[in-house]
Amino acid sequence: EPVGAAEKDNKRLVVVSNRVANLNAKAQTGGLAVALGDALSASQGLWFGWSGETSVDAKATMPKIETKGDLTVATIDLTPEEMEGYYLGYANRCLWPSLHYRLDLALCNEEHANIYFEVNARFAENLMPMLEPGDMIWVHDYHLIPLAEELKRRGCTSRIGFFLHTPFPSPEIFAAVPHQKRLGDALMRFDVVGFQTQSDRENFARYVCGFMNGEELAGDLLTAQGQTTNAAVFPIGIDVGGFANLAKQGDGLPSLLPEAPDGDMKTIIGVDRLDYTKGLPERLRAFEALLEQYPQHRRHVRFVQIAPPTRETLPVYQDIRREVERLVGQINGRFGDLNWQPVIYLHRPFPQDVLARLCRESAVGMITPLRDGMNLVAKEYIAAQRPEDPGVLVLSRFAGAAEQLREALLINPHDVNEMASTLDRALTMPRQERWARYNRLRQRVETYDVTNWRDSFMQTFASSDDDPVNVFAK
Ligand code: ADP
Ligand code: F6P
């Protein structure tokens, strides 16, 4: 399948991201790897990023090149110090919490920040010899904000676009991040800066105008300090047909979950990396409140939470794991029975087909992050449903997906009682209402799928006039 506009103009697409999907693996955790893997698997071009490995001689080693069909994947290792300072340090201890409104968790160490900027320079250094004139370079996520600046410093004249997979917080939050000015300037060096939602884009525009002395021009253009960029919205999506087909494969097979003796057992499912942004303790407390306040559901509902490990060496991730595991034990000990386990908690990755089948078997998808760029699982849950008897999506207002998936039951993830009553509503919702909501949601998930995301970004990126495509205006 062609890569939209880049290919029509015979331009090569070069994607750069910290995490590169393992295109041979069945399980992939993390929205960026899943979406880019789907967007690029059948494409031509070059994908450059971190191998996921560390080695002491990484700086003296050439990129490792692999070919997957027409796609070339080039990766470099990080040194242990780079892993610590760039990935675990500035990117994931400072930027990640700040972008998700958690300044209280942001730890910014000067040495880590220096290494973050140095690794971006090393990415540029390694990428430059692989570039060809006219390439369109598409950079992804908060790990690589300084990359356009570093490439241009080395004489790169290609157009360079950026997509932020996380939220862009309100400008007062972003302005509090150490090195924010350098980051703001670096973002303005991209030709296109893409965001998940209108509200992320507005936050960025308010930052540029309010904190960088910039201004909004016609269309989606923003200008500050002599640089102009096209800031637009491209909500990321999934491979809807692919996920739906995986989900259907289980039809006619025995259920993946144990059957209740009387056949009357509903499943609520959650699938998230075990990250503090995902609101897992609040979600567990809401399930506990459901069992407490709506005793009719006891023995007739179970909550399956799949939460694979992520960034495990950071103390704040160890804390959230302890808290989640304590709550799971507390709920199971308090409400469970010899033949009923209220919470099934699984701390590992699963193949996509198993996730898809579990979503199809579940009456409720509970996606309640405290903040999230988009949240692909919300879209996967919808894609997996049986059209004739669909389940109900309970979705956080603070997930980017809530801007599109308005017919979900939208909740405040900080309000445990509201979540409990919404779970009761979802578990008892008549089929007609479930069906009406599902139909609208499915349509929107299908329209804004991963191909639409990729192609609309490429179209804006390729257009030489200043009249970019606004996906919400279609
Ligand atoms: P994030 O990018 O913050 O991890 P998303 O919800 O956008 O959040 O993307 C997560 C992706 O990772 C989804 O495609 C989801 O199916 C996948 N995923 C999450 N948990 C697992 C798991 N245990 N095993 C395999 N894939 C998972
Ligand atoms: O989608 C947001 C994101 O931060 C991606 O950039 C990242 O790949 C993913 O979540 C998973 O995190 P990590 O790459 O740190 O395992």
Side-chain angles (χ1 to χ4, degrees):
E1 202 178 320
V3 181
E7 198 134 294
K8 272 184 236 136
D9 298 348
N10 286 327
K11 288 188 172 172
R12 186 177 67 148
L13 176 63
V14 176
V15 167
V16 193
S17 57
N18 172 64
R19 186 74 67 187
V20 169
N22 176 353
L23 297 176
N24 300 321
K26 277 184 140 188
Q28 202 93 246
T29 58
L32 182 149
V34 169
L36 278 175
D38 286 339
L40 300 176
S41 59
S43 309
Q44 297 177 353
L46 172 66
W47 190 356
F48 177 71
W50 173 40
S51 62
E53 306 289 330
T54 56
S55 59
V56 282
D57 56 355
K59 287 186 188 171
T61 312
M62 298 289 285
K64 185 172 146 208
I65 313 273
E66 287 171 282
T67 317
K68 306 259 161 63
D70 288 335
L71 184 68
T72 303
V73 180
T75 52
I76 53 170
D77 290 355
L78 295 177
T79 65
E81 297 73 33
E82 287 177 332
M83 164 96 171
E84 194 63 32
Y86 150 80
Y87 172 73
L88 292 170
Y90 190 70
N92 282 322
R93 293 184 108 162
C94 182
L95 286 180
W96 177 266
S98 307
L99 294 167
H100 291 85
Y101 290 75
R102 293 299 304 269
L103 284 177
D104 59 316
L105 296 180
L107 289 170
C108 298
N109 153 324
E110 199 53 23
E111 195 187 330
H112 289 171
N114 288 338
I115 298 176
Y116 170 87
F117 287 99
E118 279 163 28
V119 169
N120 270 269
R122 197 157 81 74
F123 262 62
E125 198 72 48
N126 279 277
L127 184 57
M128 278 305 284
M130 287 186 264
L131 295 178
E132 294 163 10
D135 279 345
M136 299 182 73
I137 306 171
W138 190 11
V139 179
H140 291 262
D141 235 0
Y142 59 97
H143 315 84
L144 299 174
I145 292 172
L147 195 63
E149 198 166 49
E150 293 295 344
L151 287 168
K152 288 183 178 173
R153 203 197 299 287
R154 285 167 179 75
C156 174
T157 54
S158 300
R159 287 173 67 74
I160 312 177
F162 179 79
F163 184 78
L164 184 67
H165 290 252
T166 67
F168 191 92
S170 69
E172 291 75 13
I173 299 260
F174 194 74
V177 179
H179 300 285
Q180 47 93 20
K181 181 165 176 350
R182 227 172 137 181
L183 297 173
D185 289 346
L187 281 168
M188 292 301 295
R189 299 301 300 274
F190 289 96
D191 296 287
V192 177
V193 179
F195 296 96
Q196 299 273 26
T197 66
Q198 293 289 2
S199 106
D200 296 320
R201 193 217 169 262
E202 271 163 34
N203 285 339
F204 180 62
R206 288 202 294 132
Y207 176 76
V208 170
C209 298
F211 291 81
M212 293 179 73
N213 278 329
E215 53 182 311
E216 295 222 41
L217 304 178
D220 284 329
L221 294 184
L222 293 175
T223 187
Q225 290 150 28
Q227 303 289 338
T228 300
T229 192
N230 194 339
V233 179
F234 309 96
I236 201 165
I238 62 164
D239 170 7
V240 184
F243 203 84
N245 283 338
L246 289 176
K248 270 185 235 161
Q249 277 174 15
D251 290 359
L253 298 176
S255 161
L256 290 171
L257 294 163
E259 307 276 3
D262 60 0
D264 183 12
M265 176 67 73
K266 286 188 172 151
T267 303
I268 301 171
I269 193 162
V271 181
D272 317 69
R273 286 180 303 104
L274 187 37
D275 194 296
Y276 54 83
T277 58
K278 302 292 183 180
L280 297 178
E282 292 78 1
R283 195 182 303 175
L284 283 159
R285 285 197 198 97
F287 182 65
E288 187 174 29
L290 173 83
L291 299 179
E292 208 169 61
Q293 294 166 27
Y294 303 85
Q296 64 275 25
H297 292 298
R298 293 182 196 166
R299 286 178 202 80
H300 299 296
V301 66
R302 66 188 151 209
F303 174 36
V304 177
Q305 177 63 55
I306 298 181
T310 182
R311 306 170 195 167
E312 279 177 292
T313 55
L314 296 183
V316 63
Y317 286 84
Q318 294 160 6
D319 293 347
I320 193 78
R321 178 176 176 191
R322 260 194 301 277
E323 190 178 357
V324 163
E325 294 184 352
R326 188 185 63 75
L327 281 164
V328 170
Q330 174 181 308
I331 299 169
N332 281 339
R334 179 172 169 207
F335 289 101
D337 220 333
L338 292 175
N339 52 12
W340 172 54
Q341 184 180 328
V343 183
I344 298 178
Y345 157 75
L346 302 160
H347 183 52
R348 57 181 177 276
F350 280 88
Q352 229 188 5
D353 60 324
V354 174
L355 295 181
R357 283 177 60 189
L358 282 173
C359 285
R360 194 169 176 92
E361 285 182 21
S362 300
V364 179
M366 195 171 185
I367 316 291
T368 57
L370 304 180
R371 286 281 162 188
D372 214 332
M374 176 57 65
N375 196 295
L376 291 185
V377 179
K379 296 186 171 186
E380 290 168 354
Y381 179 76
I382 295 299
Q385 295 312 297
R386 290 186 180 87
E388 67 287 359
D389 188 17
V392 179
L393 178 62
V394 174
L395 179 63
S396 163
R397 294 183 184 284
F398 306 124
E403 208 171 87
Q404 292 182 307
L405 305 184
R406 296 184 298 273
E407 293 79 10
L409 297 183
L410 297 180
I411 53 84
N412 172 3
H414 299 277
D415 186 339
V416 165
N417 284 326
E418 185 199 31
M419 278 194 283
S421 62
T422 307
L423 279 177
D424 172 59
R425 180 170 170 210
L427 289 163
T428 54
M429 189 182 282
R431 184 189 292 215
Q432 188 58 32
E433 184 180 349
R434 282 188 276 127
W435 184 82
R437 289 175 181 272
Y438 161 80
N439 265 337
R440 306 288 295 276
L441 292 170
R442 172 83 191 219
Q443 257 171 27
R444 218 151 310 114
V445 169
E446 263 171 20
T447 306
Y448 298 106
D449 69 352
V450 72
T451 306
N452 174 275
W453 169 70
R454 179 194 71 191
D455 289 349
S456 56
F457 189 95
M458 294 316 295
Q459 200 178 330
T460 298
F461 197 21
S463 66
S464 50
D465 58 32
D466 294 334
D467 185 24
V469 176
N470 179 337
V471 289
F472 285 93
K474 272 185 189 167

